[in-house]
Amino acid sequence: MSKFDQSWSSYAKVYDPIQVGSIDGTHTDPHDNGIVRACNASYHPNCLLKNNPERTLFIGRLDKDVMEKDLENLFSKYGTLENVTVVRDIVAGFSKRYAFVEFRSRRDCHLARSKEQKTILKGKEILVEFEFQNTLPGWIPRRLGGGFGGRKESGQLRFGCVDRPWKRPIQVVSHSSRMPKSNTQQRNAELERDPLRFPRRISTHTKGGRKEHSSLDINRTRNEKSCTPPRNLKRLRN
């Protein structure tokens, strides 16, 4: 196993807007205006929150009618809940369609995340993810061009999360010598090194029809002819 395979992960460990905007995390240039805004944004997490971020889940894509009681009924089966909050508009009071659920145990929090991903709640498929505001270094929220997930229609997808994990990058082999050779290529290479190893079949036409000889036979015939003394020399010897 190479060092790349050991270090690669389908989830982001540090939030980089450019990498998060890439399907495999390899881009080096921003490809949409949201990523440009995220790169230039200055975001500071809310330090006044009293919940423990390591035991808190972010619940997104909620129906507008989902209440705290609905979330309690859904997540209380995994462990004791400390706090459940549906985020609402300060002035109008309507739901912003996301919430935070805090568990007493970190283990229960991780279990609920894995089990309730893409669960249908009041006709909507919900998103269950960790609270990244205080746990993921470099985090930029969606309103500033960052975040995770997204819809294809928006053209601003973000990867490296449970909803849209990174795809493993394609590794290109740069040296052709590392590629396996076919039987024909291997035979031609060996023939160049040793021409006598694979004799070629050569056809000759005679009066009686077609006759095939190998290159070894032809070479042997030529050698015998070169060693045969001339006829005049035979007469002189006699």
Side-chain angles (χ1 to χ4, degrees):
M1 183 179 294
S2 63
K3 294 183 179 179
F4 174 80
D5 294 330
Q6 294 177 355
S7 60
W8 186 85
S9 175
S10 56
Y11 306 118
K13 298 178 181 179
V14 177
Y15 193 89
D16 186 327
I18 297 178
Q19 292 182 355
V20 169
S22 170
I23 192 173
D24 56 4
T26 60
H27 286 188
T28 57
D29 299 317
H31 67 275
D32 63 56
N33 295 330
I35 296 178
V36 175
R37 289 195 299 115
C39 292
N40 298 326
S42 178
Y43 176 73
H44 301 284
N46 188 356
C47 299
L48 300 178
L49 296 177
K50 297 181 179 180
N51 64 312
N52 188 330
E54 295 183 353
R55 294 187 277 110
T56 302
L57 292 178
F58 168 84
I59 317 299
R61 302 175 185 172
L62 295 174
D63 183 79
K64 60 183 179 62
D65 296 327
V66 171
M67 307 295 289
E68 282 83 356
K69 191 65 176 179
D70 299 321
L71 295 175
E72 290 178 2
N73 295 334
L74 180 62
F75 290 100
S76 60
K77 58 186 175 183
Y78 298 104
T80 305
L81 303 180
E82 293 285 343
N83 186 27
V84 178
T85 302
V86 176
V87 180
R88 293 181 171 83
D89 184 83
I90 299 178
V91 178
F94 58 83
S95 172
K96 290 188 176 182
R97 301 191 177 186
Y98 67 92
F100 294 96
V101 177
E102 182 184 3
F103 288 81
R104 179 175 296 179
S105 170
R106 184 177 179 181
R107 176 182 174 277
D108 297 338
C109 177
H110 284 250
L111 180 61
R113 173 180 174 264
S114 62
K115 295 293 185 180
E116 294 299 335
Q117 189 63 240
K118 295 184 178 181
T119 296
I120 304 299
L121 181 62
K122 287 195 174 182
K124 297 286 186 179
E125 185 181 275
I126 65 174
L127 171 67
V128 182
E129 189 56 278
F130 292 125
E131 195 268 282
F132 290 122
Q133 180 178 216
N134 294 291
T135 57
L136 188 64
W139 171 254
I140 302 294
R142 190 71 183 184
R143 66 176 182 272
L144 298 179
F148 278 131
R151 300 185 182 277
K152 293 181 180 180
E153 295 78 7
S154 66
Q156 296 185 356
L157 298 178
R158 302 294 182 261
F159 301 87
C161 59
V162 172
D163 186 39
R164 294 186 181 275
W166 276 324
K167 305 294 183 182
R168 183 177 291 273
I170 300 175
Q171 295 180 341
V172 181
V173 179
S174 59
H175 300 288
S176 59
S177 60
R178 297 181 181 179
M179 300 295 292
K181 295 183 178 180
S182 62
N183 294 334
T184 305
Q185 292 176 338
Q186 186 175 3
R187 182 180 183 278
N188 294 337
E190 294 179 358
L191 181 60
E192 292 178 359
R193 294 194 298 268
D194 187 3
L196 299 179
R197 183 173 182 180
F198 298 99
R200 295 178 299 167
R201 307 302 299 180
I202 301 175
S203 62
T204 58
H205 296 273
T206 61
K207 292 182 179 181
R210 182 177 178 180
K211 184 179 181 180
E212 290 188 353
H213 299 278
S214 67
S215 58
L216 288 180
D217 296 337
I218 294 176
N219 291 335
R220 189 181 300 111
T221 304
R222 289 176 179 175
N223 293 336
E224 292 176 356
K225 288 183 179 180
S226 61
C227 297
T228 304
R231 295 181 180 180
N232 296 334
L233 183 60
K234 289 182 178 180
R235 292 176 182 177
L236 293 174
R237 288 180 180 179
N238 296 332

